[in-house]
Amino acid sequence: KAGVTQTPRYLIKTRGQQVTLSCSPISGHRSVSWYQQTPGQGLQFLFEYFSETQRNKGNFPGRFSGRQFSNSRSEMNVSTLELGDSALYLCASSLEASFLAKNIQYFGAGTRLSVL
Amino acid sequence: AQSVSQHNHHVILSEAASLELGCNYSYGGTVNLFWYVQYPGQHLQLLLKYFSGDPLVKGIKGFEAEFIKSKFSFNLRKPSVQWSDTAEYFCAVNDVQAQLWSRNLTGGGNKLTFGTGTQLKVEL
């Protein structure tokens, strides 16, 4: 079974531009979460999507947004890029998003975004 | 909000030494606990997990962790480390109780709060 696939692996953008990152979850997984990893702040939760709906949101500005499609694939978008947005963006998928489910998140390799 | 503390940021050990990495989370309730490992150049991989039941859980590659609810701790241990264990280790908490409350019993949630990570280097 293929793992979580993130594209592209690397991106270079300039300040003010916008960027879209893509994530394909493990087949059958319905929950997709996004995290930002930086040396200074570590791993921080951005948002989670389940059944095309945002179920959880972290403390990031509105420039960060996402969506999920009917096939569970997800995209995240960052508008008006700032230098501080340079990071590794990780996507994780999980089989279910039920409170009673023993959810395990499986991570992709990430997209490394550099903002110049 | 939930927070996770990993007390050791950098650990250097010789092969065959024993390992214990500390992890504490900020408050109780129903939580799911995880240790993830990130080997150099690789993606985050699940090492072990705790949902309920026996507080001593075993994971891959000889790792184990003990959940002590009264101390809000989930420490990672390995009796004898190998050079190949050189990696960064992350403790993570899924505070399912808080997510349940915040969403008016609609349930669900995969919001992981991570510790800052511990960089382990094992020397030959």
Side-chain angles (χ1 to χ4, degrees):
Chain A
K1 199 181 244 189
V4 178
T5 305
Q6 292 188 245
T7 56
R9 291 295 310 278
Y10 302 93
L11 266 178
I12 299 175
K13 293 286 186 180
T14 56
R15 279 186 302 174
Q17 287 187 309
Q18 76 164 15
V19 67
T20 299
L21 312 181
S22 180
C23 173
S24 293
I26 292 171
S27 178
H29 284 195
R30 300 189 294 166
S31 167
V32 174
S33 299
W34 289 89
Y35 295 83
Q36 182 196 65
Q37 186 177 19
T38 59
Q41 300 297 319
L43 280 151
Q44 294 187 289
F45 174 79
L46 280 155
F47 27 66
E48 179 204 2
Y49 286 87
F50 178 74
S51 292
E52 302 176 64
T53 302
Q54 188 179 85
R55 300 300 292 269
N56 272 301
K57 190 176 190 308
N59 296 324
F60 279 81
R63 300 185 297 106
F64 291 81
S65 63
R67 59 178 176 168
Q68 187 181 33
F69 302 94
S70 58
N71 61 358
S72 293
R73 191 178 69 84
S74 177
E75 289 181 346
M76 68 163 280
N77 183 277
V78 188
S79 62
T80 320
L81 284 165
E82 300 177 359
L83 295 178
D85 297 333
S86 294
L88 181 66
Y89 290 89
L90 296 173
C91 170
S93 76
S94 178
L95 191 59
E96 296 183 43
S98 162
F99 170 68
L100 297 177
K102 296 177 179 179
N103 296 321
I104 297 172
Q105 292 187 59
Y106 297 90
F107 285 81
T111 294
R112 185 163 296 281
L113 172 65
S114 297
V115 182
L116 307 177
Chain B
Q2 184 70 254
S3 65
V4 179
S5 299
Q6 289 184 242
H7 317 297
N8 316 97
H9 297 293
H10 291 90
V11 173
I12 302 175
L13 295 172
S14 300
E15 267 204 329
S18 64
L19 170 72
E20 180 159 2
L21 301 182
C23 172
N24 286 87
Y25 57 100
S26 55
Y27 61 86
T30 303
V31 294
N32 294 334
L33 299 161
F34 306 87
W35 276 96
Y36 282 88
V37 60
Q38 193 169 32
Y39 296 103
Q42 296 188 28
H43 61 278
L44 273 171
Q45 299 172 41
L46 181 69
L47 204 53
L48 46 76
K49 61 195 181 292
Y50 174 81
F51 294 117
S52 61
D54 188 345
L56 186 62
V57 293
K58 294 191 185 299
I60 61 172
K61 303 185 180 185
F63 286 90
E64 64 179 32
E66 184 176 14
F67 169 53
I68 303 179
K69 190 172 183 178
S70 60
K71 295 184 178 180
F72 304 132
S73 71
F74 190 56
N75 293 350
L76 180 71
R77 298 195 292 249
K78 186 171 184 179
S80 175
V81 295
Q82 300 174 304
W83 178 80
S84 58
D85 293 326
T86 294
E88 190 159 18
Y89 293 80
F90 295 91
C91 180
V93 175
N94 186 1
D95 191 343
V96 293
Q97 188 71 58
Q99 290 172 83
L100 186 70
W101 285 338
S102 71
R103 298 191 24 238
N104 299 314
L105 300 179
T106 54
N110 279 302
K111 178 181 177 180
L112 287 178
T113 301
F114 281 89
T116 50
T118 297
Q119 188 69 52
L120 170 66
K121 182 178 180 182
V122 180
E123 296 178 331
L124 294 170

PDB file of all heavy atoms in Angstrom, chain A residues 9-24:
ATOM      1  N   ARG A   9       8.136  18.157  -3.661  1.00  0.00           N
ATOM      2  CA  ARG A   9       9.025  17.939  -2.517  1.00  0.00           C
ATOM      3  C   ARG A   9       9.744  19.216  -2.113  1.00  0.00           C
ATOM      4  O   ARG A   9      10.019  19.418  -0.923  1.00  0.00           O
ATOM      5  CB  ARG A   9      10.057  16.866  -2.850  1.00  0.00           C
ATOM      6  CG  ARG A   9       9.487  15.460  -2.984  1.00  0.00           C
ATOM      7  CD  ARG A   9       8.932  14.946  -1.647  1.00  0.00           C
ATOM      8  NE  ARG A   9       9.859  15.107  -0.549  1.00  0.00           N
ATOM      9  CZ  ARG A   9      10.860  14.279  -0.280  1.00  0.00           C
ATOM     10  NH1 ARG A   9      11.060  13.216  -1.047  1.00  0.00           N
ATOM     11  NH2 ARG A   9      11.661  14.508   0.747  1.00  0.00           N
ATOM     12  N   TYR A  10      10.025  20.049  -3.085  1.00  0.00           N
ATOM     13  CA  TYR A  10      10.732  21.304  -2.809  1.00  0.00           C
ATOM     14  C   TYR A  10      10.088  22.436  -3.596  1.00  0.00           C
ATOM     15  O   TYR A  10       9.626  22.245  -4.716  1.00  0.00           O
ATOM     16  CB  TYR A  10      12.217  21.203  -3.205  1.00  0.00           C
ATOM     17  CG  TYR A  10      12.952  20.082  -2.514  1.00  0.00           C
ATOM     18  CD1 TYR A  10      13.053  18.838  -3.121  1.00  0.00           C
ATOM     19  CD2 TYR A  10      13.536  20.273  -1.268  1.00  0.00           C
ATOM     20  CE1 TYR A  10      13.719  17.801  -2.487  1.00  0.00           C
ATOM     21  CE2 TYR A  10      14.203  19.238  -0.631  1.00  0.00           C
ATOM     22  CZ  TYR A  10      14.282  18.010  -1.240  1.00  0.00           C
ATOM     23  OH  TYR A  10      14.937  16.978  -0.603  1.00  0.00           O
ATOM     24  N   LEU A  11      10.072  23.596  -2.963  1.00  0.00           N
ATOM     25  CA  LEU A  11       9.518  24.793  -3.594  1.00  0.00           C
ATOM     26  C   LEU A  11      10.330  26.002  -3.172  1.00  0.00           C
ATOM     27  O   LEU A  11      10.676  26.131  -1.991  1.00  0.00           O
ATOM     28  CB  LEU A  11       8.075  25.014  -3.141  1.00  0.00           C
ATOM     29  CG  LEU A  11       6.926  24.474  -3.960  1.00  0.00           C
ATOM     30  CD1 LEU A  11       5.611  24.788  -3.259  1.00  0.00           C
ATOM     31  CD2 LEU A  11       6.935  25.045  -5.360  1.00  0.00           C
ATOM     32  N   ILE A  12      10.572  26.870  -4.121  1.00  0.00           N
ATOM     33  CA  ILE A  12      11.193  28.156  -3.799  1.00  0.00           C
ATOM     34  C   ILE A  12      10.269  29.251  -4.298  1.00  0.00           C
ATOM     35  O   ILE A  12       9.877  29.257  -5.472  1.00  0.00           O
ATOM     36  CB  ILE A  12      12.590  28.295  -4.448  1.00  0.00           C
ATOM     37  CG1 ILE A  12      13.523  27.194  -3.941  1.00  0.00           C
ATOM     38  CG2 ILE A  12      13.174  29.676  -4.143  1.00  0.00           C
ATOM     39  CD1 ILE A  12      14.881  27.192  -4.618  1.00  0.00           C
ATOM     40  N   LYS A  13       9.898  30.130  -3.403  1.00  0.00           N
ATOM     41  CA  LYS A  13       9.000  31.235  -3.738  1.00  0.00           C
ATOM     42  C   LYS A  13       9.587  32.531  -3.190  1.00  0.00           C
ATOM     43  O   LYS A  13      10.513  32.522  -2.375  1.00  0.00           O
ATOM     44  CB  LYS A  13       7.617  30.992  -3.113  1.00  0.00           C
ATOM     45  CG  LYS A  13       6.860  29.811  -3.689  1.00  0.00           C
ATOM     46  CD  LYS A  13       6.321  30.133  -5.052  1.00  0.00           C
ATOM     47  CE  LYS A  13       5.436  29.030  -5.586  1.00  0.00           C
ATOM     48  NZ  LYS A  13       4.918  29.370  -6.939  1.00  0.00           N
ATOM     49  N   THR A  14       9.026  33.629  -3.647  1.00  0.00           N
ATOM     50  CA  THR A  14       9.445  34.932  -3.120  1.00  0.00           C
ATOM     51  C   THR A  14       8.331  35.532  -2.273  1.00  0.00           C
ATOM     52  O   THR A  14       7.155  35.132  -2.397  1.00  0.00           O
ATOM     53  CB  THR A  14       9.822  35.901  -4.249  1.00  0.00           C
ATOM     54  OG1 THR A  14       8.709  36.017  -5.128  1.00  0.00           O
ATOM     55  CG2 THR A  14      11.027  35.391  -5.019  1.00  0.00           C
ATOM     56  N   ARG A  15       8.709  36.448  -1.424  1.00  0.00           N
ATOM     57  CA  ARG A  15       7.726  37.105  -0.546  1.00  0.00           C
ATOM     58  C   ARG A  15       6.576  37.680  -1.349  1.00  0.00           C
ATOM     59  O   ARG A  15       6.773  38.254  -2.422  1.00  0.00           O
ATOM     60  CB  ARG A  15       8.402  38.231   0.238  1.00  0.00           C
ATOM     61  CG  ARG A  15       9.170  37.773   1.436  1.00  0.00           C
ATOM     62  CD  ARG A  15       9.684  38.940   2.235  1.00  0.00           C
ATOM     63  NE  ARG A  15      10.548  39.808   1.422  1.00  0.00           N
ATOM     64  CZ  ARG A  15      11.036  40.960   1.843  1.00  0.00           C
ATOM     65  NH1 ARG A  15      10.727  41.419   3.045  1.00  0.00           N
ATOM     66  NH2 ARG A  15      11.809  41.670   1.078  1.00  0.00           N
ATOM     67  N   GLY A  16       5.380  37.528  -0.815  1.00  0.00           N
ATOM     68  CA  GLY A  16       4.205  38.068  -1.461  1.00  0.00           C
ATOM     69  C   GLY A  16       3.496  37.093  -2.386  1.00  0.00           C
ATOM     70  O   GLY A  16       2.318  37.290  -2.709  1.00  0.00           O
ATOM     71  N   GLN A  17       4.217  36.073  -2.816  1.00  0.00           N
ATOM     72  CA  GLN A  17       3.574  35.083  -3.692  1.00  0.00           C
ATOM     73  C   GLN A  17       2.679  34.165  -2.879  1.00  0.00           C
ATOM     74  O   GLN A  17       2.652  34.211  -1.655  1.00  0.00           O
ATOM     75  CB  GLN A  17       4.645  34.250  -4.408  1.00  0.00           C
ATOM     76  CG  GLN A  17       5.381  34.983  -5.503  1.00  0.00           C
ATOM     77  CD  GLN A  17       6.304  34.055  -6.280  1.00  0.00           C
ATOM     78  OE1 GLN A  17       7.116  33.322  -5.700  1.00  0.00           O
ATOM     79  NE2 GLN A  17       6.169  34.071  -7.590  1.00  0.00           N
ATOM     80  N   GLN A  18       1.926  33.341  -3.584  1.00  0.00           N
ATOM     81  CA  GLN A  18       1.144  32.319  -2.899  1.00  0.00           C
ATOM     82  C   GLN A  18       1.604  30.946  -3.375  1.00  0.00           C
ATOM     83  O   GLN A  18       2.259  30.816  -4.412  1.00  0.00           O
ATOM     84  CB  GLN A  18      -0.347  32.514  -3.153  1.00  0.00           C
ATOM     85  CG  GLN A  18      -0.822  32.075  -4.519  1.00  0.00           C
ATOM     86  CD  GLN A  18      -2.345  31.931  -4.566  1.00  0.00           C
ATOM     87  OE1 GLN A  18      -3.068  32.402  -3.683  1.00  0.00           O
ATOM     88  NE2 GLN A  18      -2.833  31.286  -5.598  1.00  0.00           N
ATOM     89  N   VAL A  19       1.276  29.927  -2.583  1.00  0.00           N
ATOM     90  CA  VAL A  19       1.737  28.587  -2.900  1.00  0.00           C
ATOM     91  C   VAL A  19       0.655  27.573  -2.538  1.00  0.00           C
ATOM     92  O   VAL A  19      -0.116  27.781  -1.589  1.00  0.00           O
ATOM     93  CB  VAL A  19       3.050  28.280  -2.140  1.00  0.00           C
ATOM     94  CG1 VAL A  19       2.813  28.198  -0.644  1.00  0.00           C
ATOM     95  CG2 VAL A  19       3.684  26.999  -2.643  1.00  0.00           C
ATOM     96  N   THR A  20       0.585  26.501  -3.304  1.00  0.00           N
ATOM     97  CA  THR A  20      -0.345  25.410  -3.026  1.00  0.00           C
ATOM     98  C   THR A  20       0.429  24.107  -2.934  1.00  0.00           C
ATOM     99  O   THR A  20       1.219  23.785  -3.825  1.00  0.00           O
ATOM    100  CB  THR A  20      -1.407  25.288  -4.134  1.00  0.00           C
ATOM    101  OG1 THR A  20      -2.156  26.512  -4.199  1.00  0.00           O
ATOM    102  CG2 THR A  20      -2.360  24.136  -3.836  1.00  0.00           C
ATOM    103  N   LEU A  21       0.214  23.409  -1.839  1.00  0.00           N
ATOM    104  CA  LEU A  21       0.867  22.123  -1.611  1.00  0.00           C
ATOM    105  C   LEU A  21      -0.186  21.029  -1.661  1.00  0.00           C
ATOM    106  O   LEU A  21      -1.325  21.237  -1.230  1.00  0.00           O
ATOM    107  CB  LEU A  21       1.548  22.105  -0.242  1.00  0.00           C
ATOM    108  CG  LEU A  21       2.430  23.300   0.124  1.00  0.00           C
ATOM    109  CD1 LEU A  21       3.041  23.102   1.494  1.00  0.00           C
ATOM    110  CD2 LEU A  21       3.484  23.549  -0.918  1.00  0.00           C
ATOM    111  N   SER A  22       0.219  19.857  -2.123  1.00  0.00           N
ATOM    112  CA  SER A  22      -0.744  18.780  -2.305  1.00  0.00           C
ATOM    113  C   SER A  22      -0.386  17.558  -1.467  1.00  0.00           C
ATOM    114  O   SER A  22       0.789  17.278  -1.220  1.00  0.00           O
ATOM    115  CB  SER A  22      -0.797  18.399  -3.786  1.00  0.00           C
ATOM    116  OG  SER A  22      -1.724  17.353  -3.994  1.00  0.00           O
ATOM    117  N   CYS A  23      -1.408  16.838  -1.049  1.00  0.00           N
ATOM    118  CA  CYS A  23      -1.219  15.644  -0.229  1.00  0.00           C
ATOM    119  C   CYS A  23      -2.208  14.569  -0.659  1.00  0.00           C
ATOM    120  O   CYS A  23      -3.426  14.808  -0.677  1.00  0.00           O
ATOM    121  CB  CYS A  23      -1.428  15.989   1.238  1.00  0.00           C
ATOM    122  SG  CYS A  23      -1.428  14.561   2.345  1.00  0.00           S
ATOM    123  N   SER A  24      -1.688  13.394  -0.954  1.00  0.00           N
ATOM    124  CA  SER A  24      -2.550  12.244  -1.227  1.00  0.00           C
ATOM    125  C   SER A  24      -2.414  11.273  -0.075  1.00  0.00           C
ATOM    126  O   SER A  24      -1.309  10.762   0.189  1.00  0.00           O
ATOM    127  CB  SER A  24      -2.141  11.563  -2.532  1.00  0.00           C
ATOM    128  OG  SER A  24      -2.397  12.407  -3.626  1.00  0.00           O
TER     129      SER A  24
END
